DNA sequence: CGTAACTTTGATCTTTATCAAGCCTCGTGG
DNA sequence: CCACGAGGCTTGATAAAGATCAAAGTTACG
């Protein structure tokens, strides 16, 4: 990627300026950013929560482990989203309640929570923007909750594939950033059911499937 | 209730002072508060979003209607929580994305979004507190959603009953603020399954059930 | 005390999970 | 450039969880 060409950052696109560096970064951050490759863990459930992360590009996964160590549930994290908000409160002893790792290569800006707090304290507009952005995320989570609670497996799989392929893709082939098993974790389904539903959608002529590549028709 | 005895407000307990009145109210607000009885609708999905509501006491329910008019999913709203944050952004044409109604009698403080915005702009500490409170709600909702995705019905029912009864109740009889059907909406289960799971928990000696009254043993 | 709303319980059906086996695909190394 | 192997995907048979349909109790409230 050409660093000489400033690009819009999906985080600041949402009106979120979490610190001076973030304001000035123009999508090419040079402080505190981490490059993740597939499988890298950003933070683990139970780690002390002291940093907030803004996803500049790539795909991450957020999941909880239940008592017996198995995956309890998961969520796909897009570019532009914030993770690790548990840290914002700054309570001593606060820990992350989820684990976040990379599904595909990703760039993530790490910000010490204390720095974000002091930034927001003198920039009420930004604090307001963060509250608004968080409220929007909350609405989105609720939407996902709705989908998980009521809809049959086929529609849930279709919805997730739509989300992952993105609006702009049109009818081009797109590589899904997650395996069938990871999609299943997100939807609360098994990998076999995800596979079956994708085949069923294909047989209905809604999508074409070829391994991890998918295309809307 | 004795108005002469100031009480702590569950909203301000969280460090949230959304406007001057809220700061001075000491749990007995006298401006802009609405008393709701069971079934009263606070706002409906699609209404213009111009006010933010803080729940001072009682139980509300927040739910989404899907295309065919059925309940898509729901959430129980406690005292101390904020609803209607869609209004905070102040975009023209913003509408509420959910419907909120009262499960039991409730007191709700209504605040014009524009007033809250101008209040927060000059009170950065409060803007930060709101951002933190929203972030905590988000983390809580998200974790709850992720954890619920995979658990069997019995454990999900137990978890919700625990939440509704509250920590402080000990082994006293408590009246659940919701019917089996409403609990089912929250959990994505049918009312029959909720009933059966509660009976199963009772037969295991974890709880005692008598209609809408429940007791941990 | 009567009634309407809520709850329980049973029988049956559908959806999705589980277990199992074989088949692609893609990246690696020769 | 091709062959190999491991991870990922598909498909089938069977089992289990929860939904649906139905009917009879209870509870709570006027």
């Amino acid at each position: 990627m050409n660093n000489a060409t400033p690009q819009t950052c999906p985080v600041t696109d949402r009106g979120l300026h979490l610190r001076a560096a973030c304001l000035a970064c123009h999508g090419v951050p040079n402080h505190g950013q981490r490059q993740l490759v597939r499988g890298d863990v950003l933070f683990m459930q139970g780690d002390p929560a002291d940093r907030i992360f803004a996803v500049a590009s790539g795909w991450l996964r957020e999941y909880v482990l239940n008592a017996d160590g198995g995956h309890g549930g998961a969520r796909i994290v897009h570019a532009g989203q914030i993770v690790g908000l548990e840290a914002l409160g700054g309570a001593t002893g606060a820990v992350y309640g989820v684990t976040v790792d990379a599904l595909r290569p990703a760039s993530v800006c790490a910000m010490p929570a204390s720095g974000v707090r002091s930034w927001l304290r003198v920039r009420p507009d930004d604090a307001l923007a963060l509250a608004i952005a968080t409220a929007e995320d909350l609405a989105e989570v609720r939407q996902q909750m709705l989908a998980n609670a009521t809809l049959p497996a086929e529609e849930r799989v279709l919805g997730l594939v739509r989300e992952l392929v993105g609006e702009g893709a049109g009818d081009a082939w797109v590589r899904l950033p997650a395996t069938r098993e990871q999609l299943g974790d997100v939807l609360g389904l098994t990998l076999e059911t995800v596979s079956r539903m994708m085949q069923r959608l294909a047989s209905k002529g809604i999508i074409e499937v070829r391994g991890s590549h998918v295309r809307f028709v």
Side-chain angles (χ1 to χ4, degrees), chain A:
Chain A
M1 190 173 294
N2 183 2
N3 276 1
T5 308
Q7 47 185 119
T8 52
C9 170
V11 178
T12 52
D13 275 356
R14 302 177 68 194
L16 280 179
H17 307 294
L18 296 178
R19 52 169 193 180
C22 192
L23 260 177
C25 115
H26 296 299
V28 191
N30 45 15
H31 312 296
Q33 194 184 48
R34 270 186 71 183
Q35 304 299 326
L36 303 175
V37 301
R38 182 192 141 125
D40 279 354
V41 174
L42 188 60
F43 56 80
M44 289 191 71
Q45 190 170 339
D47 284 354
D50 54 1
R51 284 176 302 168
I52 295 163
F53 301 90
V55 180
S57 69
W59 296 94
L60 305 180
R61 173 182 57 164
E62 180 181 77
Y63 59 95
V64 287
L65 302 170
N66 44 28
D68 45 324
H71 284 200
R75 183 176 79 95
I76 303 284
V77 180
H78 304 245
Q81 292 190 317
I82 308 291
V83 293
L85 275 174
E86 291 98 325
L88 187 60
T92 56
V95 296
Y96 295 115
V98 297
T99 301
V100 174
D101 62 12
L103 290 172
R104 313 242 82 210
S107 303
V108 177
C109 297
M111 295 168 286
S114 57
V116 174
R117 272 196 305 279
S118 47
W119 170 259
L120 293 179
R121 238 189 300 272
V122 297
R123 297 289 307 249
D125 281 353
D126 287 343
L128 193 52
L130 179 60
I132 292 168
T134 313
E136 280 167 8
D137 278 357
L138 202 53
E140 189 183 322
V141 167
R142 219 147 31 202
Q143 204 66 28
Q144 202 178 330
M145 211 161 162
L146 145 80
N148 277 0
T150 350
L151 298 178
E154 186 179 325
E155 290 174 54
R156 285 153 65 187
V157 170
L158 178 57
L160 182 57
V161 170
R162 276 233 164 79
E163 182 190 335
L164 293 178
V165 166
E167 295 301 322
D171 60 353
W173 283 98
V174 171
R175 175 172 195 164
L176 294 177
T179 67
R180 300 287 185 271
E181 185 173 17
Q182 292 165 338
L183 298 178
D185 286 342
V186 171
L187 297 171
L189 301 170
T190 60
L191 72 95
E192 294 95 330
T193 300
V194 173
S195 175
R196 274 187 255 263
M197 294 307 134
M198 287 182 63
Q199 295 307 119
R200 192 187 291 176
L201 290 167
S203 76
K204 287 183 176 179
I206 298 170
I207 59 175
E208 278 183 74
V209 178
R210 192 161 171 164
S212 61
H213 292 262
V214 166
R215 188 167 92 96
F216 278 84
V217 295

